[in-house]
Amino acid sequence: MKVVFVGPTLPNAVDLVPTNVEVRGPAKHRDILAAVGEGATVIGLIDGNFEDVAPIWHKEILFALSQGVRVYGSSSMGALRAAECAAFGMIGIGNIYNRYASGELFDDSDVAHVHGPKEMNYVSLSEPLVNVLATLDELLIRHELDHAEFASLKTSAELIFFKERTYRAIVAKANLPDHSSRESLQVLLRTNAINQKRRDALELLNAIATADERRQKAPTDWTFAETEQWRKIL
């Protein structure tokens, strides 16, 4: 059984996976443990809940890996956990994972954003920093931003609280050069916005679809420890 936990990063995931991949909503505490107990052989973690509920515990991921389950992560919570658990065998996928794994990114809020409920197709109400950075990088490469504009917009985006980060707010709060037009920059950013989280999520779905359906051999270079705290959640 293959399972992927995804929500706002890829609202239409159910239409993009083969029939042997089960799409579940954003993961919360105990969800990966439950999937392992139900017989999952491959797990993809993209989105995870936080703030109002307990997030996915690293120990759950380690338990899954200790049982020979292939665990992939990308885009959002999945990229964070993959960077943190890569040494134990979790497989990170995509640009965002690479940025966390290299230490270029380190703050959890860099992948966070505000969105509507599932019933509203997770409509996005703010911009995650990782998407903004991908957009700015691309515009700089294409010479549609000069270096001064790029640096000002990047700094502005990094300083804005994730719930308030929109392209309008980024441009409004940027210390831009005198030659820059804020109105033109807003249009430029919005019309060329890159959804890096979605790109990475699609890459993860492809990896899951082609992954071996069987569990692999349990790791031999480390041992899962059943601590007292772990036993309490069983």
Side-chain angles (χ1 to χ4, degrees), residues 218-229:
T220 57
D221 55 341
W222 59 274
T223 303
F224 181 80
E226 292 196 3
T227 62
E228 182 177 349
Q229 186 178 10

Side-chain angles (χ1 to χ4, degrees), residues 14-37:
V14 70
D15 300 320
L16 302 173
V17 298
T19 55
N20 67 331
V21 178
E22 180 182 343
V23 175
R24 300 185 182 183
K28 61 183 183 301
H29 181 52
R30 295 181 63 96
D31 280 353
I32 285 182
L33 175 62
V36 174

